[in-house]
Amino acid sequence: MKRAILIAVPVALILVAGVLFLAARPRAATTRANQSYEFTSITKGSIESIVSSSGTLAPVSEVSVLSQMSGRVEKVFVQYNSHVKKGQVLAQLSTDMLKLQEMESESAVKKAQANYDLQRLDARNKANLFNKGLLAEYDLKSSETSLEVYAAELAAAQSALKVIQTELNQYALITSPIDGIVIDMNVEVGQSALEGSSSNATSLFTLAEDLSKMEIKAKVDELDISSIKVGQDVRFTVEANPSLTFNGKVHEIRLVPVTTDNVVNYYVMIDADNREGKLLPGMTADVQFIKQKKSDVLVVPTAAFRFQPTNLSTQEIAKLVFLADIVDLPADQRRPL
């Protein structure tokens, strides 16, 4: 029995070693096959430290045009993208009622003028009689007082007429306050326009002063805002032209925070040149604030610094190295385990 056990144990060990060897062969071959190395050279170049963000493009100067009086829109003289000059008529309100009011006010002025002229003549005659001692002072003062009342009525009538004429000649004509381009319209012929001071009044036209200069309103996280400075260089792209890179500069950092879901951000305003006209209002910009930049320094891909340590033991590593070394050898040259 002891002799049988002594013979069986070595045989079992040999069988186990054989199974392990056969199982390790494909793994070793796979390990060797999956190994790949990329060689690179250390060169000189530029490196940057950046802060990433996003924002929306808008004109630098934008003006909303409201009506200065209520009325029905009778004519519209411009369209989207129309270039306009300061004082140019954009739309006209109906003036039918104003013309009737003007006629009524003119009649009121004529009546007040006639009353004033008559009373002035009366006051002059009574002044002559008073100087000759033929009229009491009370009568003279009464005539002069009546003259002042008629003068006030005449002034009120003239003022009312001037208001009507101003509405007729100015307020009924909606004009451009600047030289610019029409980027938005909210007006149609026949529409009722409300006077600008009304709580329900809306903008009829939106004008951009100059689309050759744009600005980006970007959100920056509170953790990065300390890295942003006025005058800092900015690089950005837009989804419409992802292959093009545009440049800009920070011109303002707004101090009022914007909190959304307990995340605090600050608005940063960026100037952007648009002389080529490739940037349009409302586009989304992917922004990179350049914190620091170094030129003519030694650079190497970051992958060269990445190393993932193994959790294998030294003996297991040595075994895998050995198996990888002999996997391509002919069978007669392999050394037994």
Side-chain angles (χ1 to χ4, degrees):
M1 180 65 66
K2 291 182 179 179
R3 185 175 181 182
I5 293 174
L6 292 174
I7 294 173
V9 170
V11 171
L13 291 175
I14 292 172
L15 290 174
V16 170
V19 171
L20 291 175
F21 176 74
L22 293 175
R25 283 188 63 187
R27 288 200 301 268
T30 302
T31 301
R32 185 179 181 91
N34 289 340
Q35 287 179 341
S36 62
Y37 299 92
E38 181 179 345
F39 294 90
T40 186
S41 301
I42 298 177
T43 59
K44 284 192 173 184
S46 300
I47 57 174
E48 293 178 340
S49 176
I50 63 173
V51 172
S52 297
S53 178
S54 64
T56 304
L57 282 155
V60 174
S61 178
E62 194 173 290
V63 177
S64 295
V65 182
L66 288 83
S67 177
Q68 294 180 284
M69 58 174 281
S70 297
R72 180 175 55 83
V73 178
E74 191 172 70
K75 295 180 181 179
V76 178
F77 299 101
V78 295
Q79 296 295 331
Y80 283 95
N81 302 329
S82 295
H83 290 269
V84 297
K85 296 293 184 180
K86 182 177 181 179
Q88 180 177 334
V89 178
L90 307 178
Q92 179 180 332
L93 303 182
S94 175
T95 58
D96 294 341
M97 293 301 298
L98 288 176
K99 289 178 180 177
L100 293 175
Q101 293 174 13
E102 182 185 30
M103 294 173 61
E104 184 179 355
S105 294
E106 287 176 344
S107 298
V109 169
K110 291 178 180 179
K111 180 179 178 180
Q113 184 70 55
N115 291 333
Y116 173 78
D117 292 341
L118 181 61
Q119 186 60 37
R120 184 176 58 178
L121 180 60
D122 181 73
R124 185 184 304 162
N125 291 335
K126 287 183 178 179
N128 292 331
L129 293 174
F130 176 78
N131 292 332
K132 296 177 181 179
L134 300 176
L135 187 70
E137 182 179 1
Y138 175 80
D139 294 332
L140 175 62
K141 291 297 183 182
S142 296
S143 179
E144 291 177 346
T145 301
S146 296
L147 179 62
E148 292 177 358
V149 171
Y150 284 124
E153 291 178 353
L154 175 60
Q158 290 173 337
S159 178
L161 176 60
K162 190 172 182 180
V163 169
I164 298 299
Q165 290 175 338
T166 301
E167 291 180 343
L168 185 62
N169 299 322
Q170 296 183 29
Y171 293 174
L173 301 176
I174 301 171
T175 58
S176 172
I178 61 170
D179 294 343
I181 182 173
V182 179
I183 61 174
D184 193 19
M185 296 174 56
N186 187 28
V187 59
E188 296 288 344
V189 174
Q191 172 185 328
S192 294
L194 296 178
E195 195 262 330
S197 62
S198 172
S199 59
N200 295 324
T202 58
S203 172
L204 301 181
F205 300 93
T206 301
L207 308 179
E209 186 171 5
D210 185 8
L211 289 182
S212 66
K213 295 179 181 178
M214 304 284 283
E215 70 177 4
I216 304 172
K217 188 178 184 180
K219 273 187 177 181
V220 178
D221 190 273
E222 62 176 328
L223 299 177
D224 297 318
I225 195 63
S226 61
S227 302
I228 310 302
K229 310 294 181 186
V230 174
Q232 186 172 356
D233 290 331
V234 174
R235 184 171 56 241
F236 68 94
T237 59
V238 293
E239 295 180 359
N241 294 295
S243 60
L244 297 179
T245 300
F246 303 89
N247 298 313
K249 283 187 179 294
V250 175
H251 79 85
E252 183 181 51
I253 301 172
R254 298 188 175 175
L255 303 181
V256 179
V258 179
T259 304
T260 306
D261 296 332
N262 294 325
V263 177
V264 179
N265 293 283
Y266 292 86
Y267 282 123
V268 177
M269 309 305 293
I270 304 163
D271 287 332
D273 182 77
N274 190 34
R275 282 175 289 187
E276 295 183 1
K278 295 182 178 180
L279 302 175
L280 300 178
M283 284 184 171
T284 300
D286 294 322
V287 181
Q288 293 181 339
F289 298 91
I290 302 174
K291 293 170 55 178
Q292 193 175 12
K293 183 175 181 179
K294 297 290 185 180
S295 301
D296 197 29
V297 295
L298 296 176
V299 295
V300 67
T302 56
F305 298 98
R306 290 198 294 266
F307 171 70
Q308 184 176 358
T310 181
N311 56 1
L312 299 177
S313 66
T314 303
Q315 293 180 348
E316 290 173 325
I317 294 174
K319 183 178 179 180
L320 290 174
V321 171
F322 171 74
L323 293 175
D325 288 340
I326 68 172
V327 70
D328 292 332
L329 293 177
D332 58 343
Q333 295 183 11
R334 295 178 184 172
R335 292 173 294 178
L337 290 174

